[in-house]
Amino acid sequence: MDQDDLNATAIFLLRVALGTMFIAHSLWLKLFIFTLAGTASFFVSIGLPGSFAYVVFTAEAVGGILLVLGVQARWVALMLAPILAGATWAHWGNGWMFGYENGGWEYPAYLTLLAIVQFMLGDGRWALVRSRPLPVLSSNNGAVT
């Protein structure tokens, strides 16, 4: 295995880990533990519309599945990054450590960074539907297009 193979495998592992986290956070935490109604109540308690909880739940569940499968992973990660940034904002007042009461902002901030890195790196190995490349990263005989 050469460095390119290792890089492609590492990107794949990042993609699957990030996707799995989204699936667990949406289906397990929001649906089964907090319930969707409870999640909507939390959204209202921090000043967001309750209906937004259903949008976030759906985006996390579908986006997580798409990431694991490798379907347009670059663009899915980019679309999920604002949700993670929103989670960072929602936990900001609880302090830095996610282990604090009501969870701090360190974990969602870290996940926001991981989603941005996934966007920058692309799909990795074993992607079902590869993402279109970023125009600024494509080259034609050394010229950036």
Side-chain angles (χ1 to χ4, degrees):
M1 189 176 266
D2 65 9
Q3 188 61 51
D4 289 339
D5 290 328
L6 286 172
N7 290 348
T9 302
I11 296 166
F12 160 74
L13 292 173
L14 171 64
R15 186 187 86 216
V16 170
L18 192 60
T20 301
M21 183 282 307
F22 273 112
I23 292 167
H25 200 79
S26 60
L27 295 177
W28 185 253
L29 188 64
K30 285 184 175 69
L31 183 62
F32 296 122
I33 303 228
F34 295 145
T35 74
L36 291 178
T39 302
S41 293
F42 171 73
F43 274 56
V44 169
S45 78
I46 61 171
L48 297 172
S51 60
F52 196 57
Y54 297 90
V55 173
V56 169
F57 165 78
T58 302
E60 287 181 347
V62 172
I65 292 166
L66 293 175
L67 284 171
V68 169
L69 295 176
V71 177
Q72 296 289 327
R74 174 187 304 272
W75 304 108
V76 171
L78 180 64
M79 287 188 266
L80 290 171
I83 291 173
L84 293 168
T88 304
W89 167 81
H91 291 281
W92 193 263
N94 301 332
W96 178 70
M97 288 292 296
F98 200 69
Y100 290 169
E101 186 175 341
N102 297 318
W105 57 267
E106 60 140 338
Y107 182 62
Y110 178 69
L111 292 171
T112 304
L113 177 63
L114 291 183
I116 293 166
V117 168
Q118 185 74 61
F119 163 71
M120 294 168 67
L121 293 173
D123 304 304
R125 289 198 178 286
W126 305 297
L128 290 181
V129 180
R130 295 210 161 271
S131 301
R132 294 184 64 181
L134 294 172
V136 295
L137 298 179
S138 300
S139 64
N140 185 8
N141 294 329
V144 176
T145 58

